[in-house]
Amino acid sequence: MSQSPWQQRQLDQKKHRPNDNRSPWQIDRSRIIHAAAFRRLQSKTQIMSIGVNDFYRTRLTHSLEVSQIGTGLLRHLRTQHPDFTWFPSSSLMETICLAHDIGHPPFGHGGEIALNYLLRDHGGFEGNAQTLRIVTKLEPYSKGYGMNLTRRTLLGFIKYPAFIDELWLCHPQPDPNQRFIYAQQWLPAKGVYQCDKDVLDWILQPFSTADRALLQSHTPVNEYKAKTRFKSLDSAIMEYADDFAYAVHDLEDAIATETLSEREWQRYALPELQKIDSPWLDKHLDSISERLFSHDESLRKDVIGELVNLFIVNCELVIQDPAFSDPLLRHTVKLSAEFEAILGVLKQFVFSRLIRDPKMQQIEFSGQNMLIDLFGAFQSDPLRLLPHTTQAHYAQATNETEQMRVLADYLSGMTDEYARRCYQRLFGNSPMQAPVKSGPHM
Protein backbone atom coordinates (compact mmCIF):
# COMPACT_ATOMS: atom_id res chain seq x y z
CA MET A 1 0.00 0.00 0.00
CA SER A 2 1.56 3.30 -1.10
CA GLN A 3 2.02 6.06 1.43
CA SER A 4 -0.24 9.11 1.21
CA PRO A 5 1.65 12.28 0.23
CA TRP A 6 0.27 13.83 3.44
CA GLN A 7 2.08 11.20 5.53
CA GLN A 8 5.43 11.84 3.86
CA ARG A 9 8.35 13.53 5.61
CA GLN A 10 11.03 15.66 4.01
CA LEU A 11 13.77 13.32 5.22
CA ASP A 12 13.36 9.55 4.89
CA GLN A 13 14.86 8.52 8.23
CA LYS A 14 15.40 4.87 9.12
CA LYS A 15 14.68 4.55 12.83
CA HIS A 16 15.25 1.39 14.82
CA ARG A 17 11.85 1.08 16.49
CA PRO A 18 10.90 -2.62 16.70
CA ASN A 19 7.14 -3.22 16.87
CA ASP A 20 6.36 0.49 16.79
CA ASN A 21 2.67 0.53 15.89
CA ARG A 22 2.13 4.27 16.14
CA SER A 23 0.49 6.15 13.28
CA PRO A 24 2.49 8.90 11.54
CA TRP A 25 0.40 11.47 13.45
CA GLN A 26 1.13 9.81 16.81
CA ILE A 27 4.84 9.89 15.99
CA ASP A 28 4.53 13.61 15.22
CA ARG A 29 2.78 14.19 18.54
CA SER A 30 5.57 12.39 20.40
CA ARG A 31 8.19 14.55 18.72
CA ILE A 32 6.35 17.73 19.69
CA ILE A 33 5.85 16.71 23.32
CA HIS A 34 9.52 15.79 23.77
CA ALA A 35 10.88 18.90 22.03
CA ALA A 36 12.77 21.54 24.00
CA ALA A 37 10.80 24.26 22.20
CA PHE A 38 7.57 22.77 23.58
CA ARG A 39 8.92 22.55 27.15
CA ARG A 40 9.94 26.22 27.04
CA LEU A 41 6.28 27.20 26.72
CA GLN A 42 5.95 26.62 30.48
CA SER A 43 7.99 29.79 31.04
CA LYS A 44 6.58 32.01 28.30
CA THR A 45 3.88 34.62 28.80
CA GLN A 46 0.35 33.82 27.65
CA ILE A 47 -1.38 37.06 28.74
CA MET A 48 -0.44 37.63 32.36
CA SER A 49 3.32 37.94 32.67
CA ILE A 50 5.33 35.20 34.32
CA GLY A 51 5.76 35.99 38.02
CA VAL A 52 2.68 38.20 38.37
CA ASN A 53 0.56 35.43 39.88
CA ASP A 54 0.93 31.67 40.38
CA PHE A 55 -2.56 30.88 39.10
CA TYR A 56 -2.55 32.20 35.56
CA ARG A 57 -2.01 30.20 32.38
CA THR A 58 1.32 30.06 30.59
CA ARG A 59 1.75 29.33 26.89
CA LEU A 60 2.14 25.66 27.83
CA THR A 61 -1.13 25.30 29.76
CA HIS A 62 -2.86 27.39 27.09
CA SER A 63 -1.58 25.00 24.40
CA LEU A 64 -2.82 21.97 26.38
CA GLU A 65 -6.27 23.56 26.60
CA VAL A 66 -6.29 24.41 22.90
CA SER A 67 -5.48 20.75 22.19
CA GLN A 68 -8.37 19.57 24.37
CA ILE A 69 -10.78 22.03 22.75
CA GLY A 70 -9.51 21.19 19.26
CA THR A 71 -10.16 17.47 19.68
CA GLY A 72 -13.58 18.26 21.17
CA LEU A 73 -14.44 20.37 18.15
CA LEU A 74 -13.20 17.59 15.88
CA ARG A 75 -15.48 15.02 17.60
CA HIS A 76 -18.45 17.35 17.14
CA LEU A 77 -17.72 17.82 13.44
CA ARG A 78 -17.31 14.09 12.90
CA THR A 79 -20.66 13.46 14.55
CA GLN A 80 -22.31 16.07 12.32
CA HIS A 81 -20.63 14.78 9.14
CA PRO A 82 -19.98 11.02 9.56
CA ASP A 83 -19.41 10.48 5.82
CA PHE A 84 -16.74 13.16 5.42
CA THR A 85 -13.42 11.30 5.19
CA TRP A 86 -10.98 14.22 5.22
CA PHE A 87 -11.13 15.17 8.88
CA PRO A 88 -7.77 14.94 10.67
CA SER A 89 -7.24 12.17 13.22
CA SER A 90 -7.39 13.11 16.90
CA SER A 91 -3.62 12.62 17.19
CA LEU A 92 -3.00 14.95 14.27
CA MET A 93 -5.31 17.58 15.75
CA GLU A 94 -3.60 17.31 19.13
CA THR A 95 -0.19 17.74 17.50
CA ILE A 96 -1.17 20.89 15.61
CA CYS A 97 -2.81 22.44 18.67
CA LEU A 98 -0.02 21.54 21.09
CA ALA A 99 2.64 23.15 18.91
CA HIS A 100 0.72 26.09 17.47
CA ASP A 101 2.44 28.61 19.80
CA ILE A 102 6.01 27.30 20.02
CA GLY A 103 7.26 30.06 17.74
CA HIS A 104 6.15 32.85 20.06
CA PRO A 105 9.07 34.74 21.61
CA PRO A 106 9.44 35.80 25.26
CA PHE A 107 7.28 38.68 26.57
CA GLY A 108 4.26 37.95 24.39
CA HIS A 109 3.48 40.34 21.58
CA GLY A 110 6.00 42.84 22.95
CA GLY A 111 8.77 40.41 22.09
CA GLU A 112 7.25 39.74 18.67
CA ILE A 113 7.07 43.47 17.92
CA ALA A 114 10.67 44.01 19.04
CA LEU A 115 12.05 41.24 16.83
CA ASN A 116 9.92 42.30 13.87
CA TYR A 117 11.30 45.83 14.21
CA LEU A 118 14.88 44.57 14.41
CA LEU A 119 14.44 42.35 11.34
CA ARG A 120 12.46 44.89 9.33
CA ASP A 121 15.06 44.87 6.53
CA HIS A 122 15.67 41.13 6.76
CA GLY A 123 12.31 39.40 6.32
CA GLY A 124 10.61 40.42 9.57
CA PHE A 125 9.60 38.26 12.50
CA GLU A 126 6.22 36.66 13.25
CA GLY A 127 5.27 33.96 15.76
CA ASN A 128 3.45 31.64 13.38
CA ALA A 129 6.26 31.83 10.83
CA GLN A 130 8.71 31.01 13.61
CA THR A 131 6.65 27.96 14.61
CA LEU A 132 7.05 26.55 11.11
CA ARG A 133 10.76 27.36 11.17
CA ILE A 134 11.29 25.61 14.52
CA VAL A 135 9.57 22.37 13.53
CA THR A 136 11.15 22.20 10.05
CA LYS A 137 14.68 23.52 10.62
CA LEU A 138 15.70 24.48 14.16
CA GLU A 139 14.70 21.71 16.55
CA PRO A 140 17.67 19.28 16.46
CA TYR A 141 15.77 16.03 15.97
CA SER A 142 17.28 15.63 12.50
CA LYS A 143 20.09 17.36 10.65
CA GLY A 144 18.58 20.27 8.75
CA TYR A 145 14.93 19.19 8.86
CA GLY A 146 13.93 20.02 12.44
CA MET A 147 11.45 17.52 13.85
CA ASN A 148 10.93 16.07 10.35
CA LEU A 149 7.15 16.02 10.73
CA THR A 150 4.62 14.78 8.20
CA ARG A 151 3.43 17.05 5.43
CA ARG A 152 -0.15 17.28 6.72
CA THR A 153 0.97 18.20 10.24
CA LEU A 154 3.08 21.01 8.79
CA LEU A 155 0.17 22.19 6.65
CA GLY A 156 -1.92 22.52 9.82
CA PHE A 157 0.60 24.93 11.35
CA ILE A 158 0.31 27.37 8.44
CA LYS A 159 -2.41 29.83 9.38
CA TYR A 160 -1.16 32.42 6.89
CA PRO A 161 0.09 30.68 3.71
CA ALA A 162 1.86 33.58 1.96
CA PHE A 163 5.30 35.13 2.26
CA ILE A 164 5.71 37.99 4.69
CA ASP A 165 7.78 39.93 2.14
CA GLU A 166 4.78 39.88 -0.24
CA LEU A 167 2.32 40.92 2.47
CA TRP A 168 4.19 44.15 3.25
CA LEU A 169 2.83 46.73 0.80
CA CYS A 170 4.79 49.64 2.25
CA HIS A 171 7.38 49.36 5.02
CA PRO A 172 7.08 51.80 7.93
CA GLN A 173 10.20 53.79 8.67
CA PRO A 174 11.72 54.21 12.16
CA ASP A 175 11.81 57.69 13.64
CA PRO A 176 15.48 58.51 14.38
CA ASN A 177 14.37 61.06 16.98
CA GLN A 178 12.50 58.54 19.11
CA ARG A 179 14.22 56.63 21.91
CA PHE A 180 11.56 53.91 21.86
CA ILE A 181 9.67 52.37 18.97
CA TYR A 182 5.93 52.89 18.44
CA ALA A 183 4.62 49.35 18.88
CA GLN A 184 1.49 49.67 16.74
CA GLN A 185 3.61 50.58 13.74
CA TRP A 186 5.69 47.41 14.01
CA LEU A 187 2.98 44.78 14.37
CA PRO A 188 4.13 42.02 12.00
CA ALA A 189 2.55 40.95 8.77
CA LYS A 190 1.37 37.37 9.29
CA GLY A 191 2.85 34.84 6.92
CA VAL A 192 5.88 32.65 6.20
CA TYR A 193 9.52 33.76 5.97
CA GLN A 194 10.97 34.02 2.48
CA CYS A 195 14.00 32.05 3.74
CA ASP A 196 11.66 29.10 4.37
CA LYS A 197 10.31 29.05 0.82
CA ASP A 198 11.71 25.56 0.25
CA VAL A 199 9.61 24.26 3.15
CA LEU A 200 6.38 25.92 2.04
CA ASP A 201 6.85 24.74 -1.54
CA TRP A 202 7.30 21.16 -0.33
CA ILE A 203 4.24 21.30 1.95
CA LEU A 204 1.97 22.64 -0.81
CA GLN A 205 3.33 20.29 -3.49
CA PRO A 206 0.31 17.88 -3.54
CA PHE A 207 -2.08 20.71 -4.41
CA SER A 208 -2.80 21.78 -7.97
CA THR A 209 -1.24 24.96 -9.32
CA ALA A 210 -4.64 26.69 -9.18
CA ASP A 211 -5.26 25.61 -5.58
CA ARG A 212 -1.82 26.81 -4.49
CA ALA A 213 -2.33 30.18 -6.12
CA LEU A 214 -5.76 30.68 -4.52
CA LEU A 215 -4.52 29.49 -1.11
CA GLN A 216 -1.68 32.03 -1.20
CA SER A 217 -3.84 34.95 -2.35
CA HIS A 218 -4.18 37.96 -0.07
CA THR A 219 -6.01 41.24 0.32
CA PRO A 220 -4.88 44.64 1.73
CA VAL A 221 -5.87 45.55 5.29
CA ASN A 222 -4.26 49.01 5.35
CA GLU A 223 -1.64 51.05 3.52
CA TYR A 224 1.17 48.93 4.96
CA LYS A 225 0.02 45.32 5.00
CA ALA A 226 -2.10 42.66 3.34
CA LYS A 227 -3.55 39.51 4.92
CA THR A 228 -4.09 36.02 3.58
CA ARG A 229 -7.62 34.89 2.71
CA PHE A 230 -7.61 31.13 3.22
CA LYS A 231 -6.15 28.28 5.27
CA SER A 232 -6.47 24.50 5.35
CA LEU A 233 -9.28 22.68 7.18
CA ASP A 234 -6.95 21.46 9.95
CA SER A 235 -5.60 24.96 10.53
CA ALA A 236 -9.13 26.38 10.68
CA ILE A 237 -10.12 23.90 13.41
CA MET A 238 -6.98 24.77 15.38
CA GLU A 239 -7.62 28.50 15.03
CA TYR A 240 -11.14 28.24 16.42
CA ALA A 241 -9.86 26.14 19.34
CA ASP A 242 -7.27 28.85 20.00
CA ASP A 243 -9.92 31.57 19.85
CA PHE A 244 -12.21 29.71 22.26
CA ALA A 245 -9.38 29.24 24.74
CA TYR A 246 -8.35 32.88 24.43
CA ALA A 247 -11.85 34.27 24.87
CA VAL A 248 -13.02 31.97 27.65
CA HIS A 249 -10.08 30.52 29.57
CA ASP A 250 -8.05 33.73 29.57
CA LEU A 251 -11.18 35.52 30.78
CA GLU A 252 -11.34 32.97 33.62
CA ASP A 253 -7.73 33.79 34.53
CA ALA A 254 -8.47 37.49 34.69
CA ILE A 255 -11.57 37.05 36.87
CA ALA A 256 -10.01 34.49 39.23
CA THR A 257 -6.98 36.73 39.87
CA GLU A 258 -9.27 39.78 40.24
CA THR A 259 -7.51 41.47 37.35
CA LEU A 260 -10.92 42.04 35.80
CA SER A 261 -13.74 43.07 38.10
CA GLU A 262 -17.48 42.52 37.91
CA ARG A 263 -17.83 46.28 37.54
CA GLU A 264 -15.71 46.22 34.37
CA TRP A 265 -17.76 43.31 33.03
CA GLN A 266 -20.98 45.25 33.61
CA ARG A 267 -19.57 48.44 32.14
CA TYR A 268 -17.75 47.13 29.07
CA ALA A 269 -18.88 43.60 28.19
CA LEU A 270 -22.57 43.48 29.16
CA PRO A 271 -23.69 46.44 26.99
CA GLU A 272 -22.02 44.87 23.94
CA LEU A 273 -23.51 41.46 24.63
CA GLN A 274 -26.95 43.00 25.09
CA LYS A 275 -26.71 44.51 21.59
CA ILE A 276 -26.44 41.07 19.98
CA ASP A 277 -29.57 39.56 18.46
CA SER A 278 -29.24 36.26 20.31
CA PRO A 279 -32.10 34.15 21.70
CA TRP A 280 -29.55 32.20 23.74
CA LEU A 281 -28.17 35.34 25.38
CA ASP A 282 -31.66 36.65 26.08
CA LYS A 283 -32.27 33.54 28.14
CA HIS A 284 -28.85 32.97 29.76
CA LEU A 285 -26.92 36.26 30.04
CA ASP A 286 -27.98 37.05 33.62
CA SER A 287 -26.99 33.55 34.76
CA ILE A 288 -23.65 33.76 32.90
CA SER A 289 -22.78 37.06 34.57
CA GLU A 290 -23.80 35.87 38.03
CA ARG A 291 -21.80 32.63 37.87
CA LEU A 292 -18.69 34.22 36.32
CA PHE A 293 -18.27 36.43 39.38
CA SER A 294 -19.59 34.05 42.00
CA HIS A 295 -17.52 33.41 45.12
CA ASP A 296 -18.25 29.74 44.50
CA GLU A 297 -15.41 28.73 42.17
CA SER A 298 -17.29 25.64 41.00
CA LEU A 299 -20.00 27.87 39.51
CA ARG A 300 -17.40 29.83 37.56
CA LYS A 301 -15.82 26.60 36.34
CA ASP A 302 -19.25 25.40 35.26
CA VAL A 303 -19.99 28.47 33.18
CA ILE A 304 -16.52 28.39 31.58
CA GLY A 305 -17.14 24.82 30.43
CA GLU A 306 -20.62 25.77 29.29
CA LEU A 307 -19.30 28.58 27.10
CA VAL A 308 -16.61 26.42 25.48
CA ASN A 309 -19.18 23.70 24.76
CA LEU A 310 -21.57 26.29 23.37
CA PHE A 311 -19.01 27.50 20.85
CA ILE A 312 -18.01 23.97 19.85
CA VAL A 313 -21.51 22.69 19.15
CA ASN A 314 -22.40 25.75 17.10
CA CYS A 315 -19.58 25.12 14.60
CA GLU A 316 -20.22 23.41 11.29
CA LEU A 317 -18.33 22.22 8.23
CA VAL A 318 -18.84 24.58 5.26
CA ILE A 319 -17.38 25.26 1.84
CA GLN A 320 -14.52 27.76 2.09
CA ASP A 321 -14.44 28.52 -1.63
CA PRO A 322 -15.91 26.31 -4.37
CA ALA A 323 -12.97 27.21 -6.61
CA PHE A 324 -10.73 24.92 -4.54
CA SER A 325 -10.54 21.35 -5.85
CA ASP A 326 -8.78 19.69 -2.90
CA PRO A 327 -11.08 18.77 0.03
CA LEU A 328 -8.52 20.00 2.59
CA LEU A 329 -8.83 23.49 1.13
CA ARG A 330 -12.37 23.41 -0.22
CA HIS A 331 -13.82 22.85 3.27
CA THR A 332 -13.47 24.88 6.44
CA VAL A 333 -15.13 25.33 9.81
CA LYS A 334 -17.52 28.15 10.60
CA LEU A 335 -19.12 29.28 13.85
CA SER A 336 -22.74 30.39 13.47
CA ALA A 337 -23.25 34.15 13.22
CA GLU A 338 -25.03 34.40 16.60
CA PHE A 339 -22.20 32.79 18.51
CA GLU A 340 -19.49 34.37 16.38
CA ALA A 341 -20.81 37.70 17.63
CA ILE A 342 -20.69 36.51 21.26
CA LEU A 343 -17.15 35.20 20.78
CA GLY A 344 -16.13 38.52 19.25
CA VAL A 345 -17.36 40.49 22.28
CA LEU A 346 -15.54 38.20 24.71
CA LYS A 347 -12.30 38.42 22.70
CA GLN A 348 -12.54 42.19 22.52
CA PHE A 349 -13.26 42.44 26.24
CA VAL A 350 -10.18 40.36 27.10
CA PHE A 351 -8.10 42.39 24.66
CA SER A 352 -9.22 45.85 25.67
CA ARG A 353 -9.53 45.39 29.43
CA LEU A 354 -6.77 42.83 30.09
CA ILE A 355 -4.17 42.81 27.33
CA ARG A 356 -4.35 46.58 26.81
CA ASP A 357 -4.45 47.31 30.53
CA PRO A 358 -1.67 49.87 31.16
CA LYS A 359 0.03 47.72 33.80
CA MET A 360 0.13 44.76 31.42
CA GLN A 361 1.37 46.99 28.61
CA GLN A 362 4.11 48.42 30.84
CA ILE A 363 5.38 44.90 31.55
CA GLU A 364 5.20 44.08 27.84
CA PHE A 365 6.99 47.33 27.02
CA SER A 366 9.78 46.44 29.44
CA GLY A 367 10.26 43.02 27.82
CA GLN A 368 10.09 44.54 24.35
CA ASN A 369 12.97 46.91 25.09
CA MET A 370 14.90 44.23 26.92
CA LEU A 371 14.92 42.13 23.73
CA ILE A 372 16.01 45.12 21.63
CA ASP A 373 18.94 45.71 23.99
CA LEU A 374 19.87 42.02 24.03
CA PHE A 375 19.77 41.88 20.23
CA GLY A 376 22.07 44.90 20.00
CA ALA A 377 24.53 43.38 22.47
CA PHE A 378 24.76 40.02 20.69
CA GLN A 379 24.99 41.70 17.30
CA SER A 380 27.90 43.86 18.47
CA ASP A 381 30.17 40.86 19.19
CA PRO A 382 28.36 37.63 18.27
CA LEU A 383 31.36 35.28 18.27
CA ARG A 384 32.17 36.38 21.78
CA LEU A 385 28.73 36.56 23.44
CA LEU A 386 26.56 33.94 21.74
CA PRO A 387 26.50 30.32 22.99
CA HIS A 388 28.88 28.03 21.08
CA THR A 389 26.16 26.26 19.09
CA THR A 390 24.61 29.58 18.02
CA GLN A 391 28.09 30.94 17.20
CA ALA A 392 28.51 28.04 14.77
CA HIS A 393 25.21 28.87 13.04
CA TYR A 394 26.19 32.55 12.90
CA ALA A 395 29.58 31.74 11.40
CA GLN A 396 27.92 29.65 8.68
CA ALA A 397 25.63 32.54 7.66
CA THR A 398 26.64 33.86 4.23
CA ASN A 399 25.13 37.34 4.46
CA GLU A 400 23.72 39.88 6.91
CA THR A 401 20.12 38.72 6.47
CA GLU A 402 21.07 35.17 7.47
CA GLN A 403 23.04 36.52 10.44
CA MET A 404 20.04 38.54 11.63
CA ARG A 405 17.85 35.44 11.34
CA VAL A 406 20.28 33.44 13.51
CA LEU A 407 20.07 36.15 16.20
CA ALA A 408 16.27 36.20 16.01
CA ASP A 409 16.14 32.39 16.24
CA TYR A 410 18.26 32.50 19.39
CA LEU A 411 16.45 35.34 21.13
CA SER A 412 12.95 34.12 20.26
CA GLY A 413 13.77 30.73 21.78
CA MET A 414 14.42 32.26 25.19
CA THR A 415 11.88 32.03 27.98
CA ASP A 416 10.86 35.22 29.78
CA GLU A 417 12.97 34.40 32.82
CA TYR A 418 16.02 33.32 30.83
CA ALA A 419 15.90 36.59 28.87
CA ARG A 420 15.78 38.54 32.14
CA ARG A 421 18.75 36.62 33.57
CA CYS A 422 20.70 37.08 30.35
CA TYR A 423 19.97 40.80 30.46
CA GLN A 424 21.22 41.03 34.04
CA ARG A 425 24.44 39.21 33.12
CA LEU A 426 25.10 41.66 30.30
CA PHE A 427 23.90 44.93 31.77
CA GLY A 428 23.34 44.45 35.49
CA ASN A 429 20.03 45.77 36.83
CA SER A 430 20.16 49.09 35.00
CA PRO A 431 18.52 49.54 31.60
CA MET A 432 20.75 50.43 28.69
CA GLN A 433 20.99 54.12 27.91
CA ALA A 434 21.90 53.77 24.26
CA PRO A 435 19.02 54.83 21.97
CA VAL A 436 17.10 52.30 19.93
CA LYS A 437 18.40 53.83 16.72
CA SER A 438 21.85 52.36 17.40
CA GLY A 439 20.67 48.96 16.13
CA PRO A 440 21.04 47.54 12.61
CA HIS A 441 20.34 49.86 9.68
CA MET A 442 18.87 52.67 11.78
Side-chain angles (χ1 to χ4, degrees), residues 9-10 28 31-32 35 37-38 95-96 98-103 128-142 144-150 153-158 196 199 203:
R9 305 176 190 275
Q10 283 187 284
D28 284 356
R31 294 181 182 182
I32 291 294
F38 180 69
T95 303
I96 295 169
L98 284 172
H100 80 283
D101 262 356
I102 64 173
N128 297 283
Q130 193 68 18
T131 292
L132 184 66
R133 183 166 173 79
I134 288 170
V135 299
T136 59
K137 293 186 176 179
L138 301 182
E139 192 69 22
Y141 185 87
S142 66
Y145 294 92
M147 299 183 198
N148 195 32
L149 304 177
T150 58
T153 296
L154 296 178
L155 178 67
F157 289 134
I158 304 174
D196 294 330
V199 172
I203 295 170

Side-chain angles (χ1 to χ4, degrees), residues 32-87:
I32 291 294
I33 289 173
H34 293 285
F38 180 69
R39 290 195 299 275
R40 291 189 190 106
L41 293 176
Q42 66 187 309
S43 296
K44 288 192 176 184
T45 294
Q46 168 59 13
I47 285 185
M48 303 182 72
S49 290
I50 302 298
V52 171
N53 190 291
D54 288 339
F55 173 86
Y56 60 82
R57 289 163 168 89
T58 64
R59 288 247 178 225
L60 179 61
T61 57
H62 165 76
S63 297
L64 293 171
E65 287 172 337
V66 173
S67 176
Q68 183 265 325
I69 294 171
T71 52
L73 176 52
L74 178 61
R75 283 194 301 273
H76 165 72
L77 294 170
R78 279 185 181 149
T79 301
Q80 298 299 108
H81 306 275
D83 297 327
F84 186 74
T85 60
W86 284 91
F87 284 125

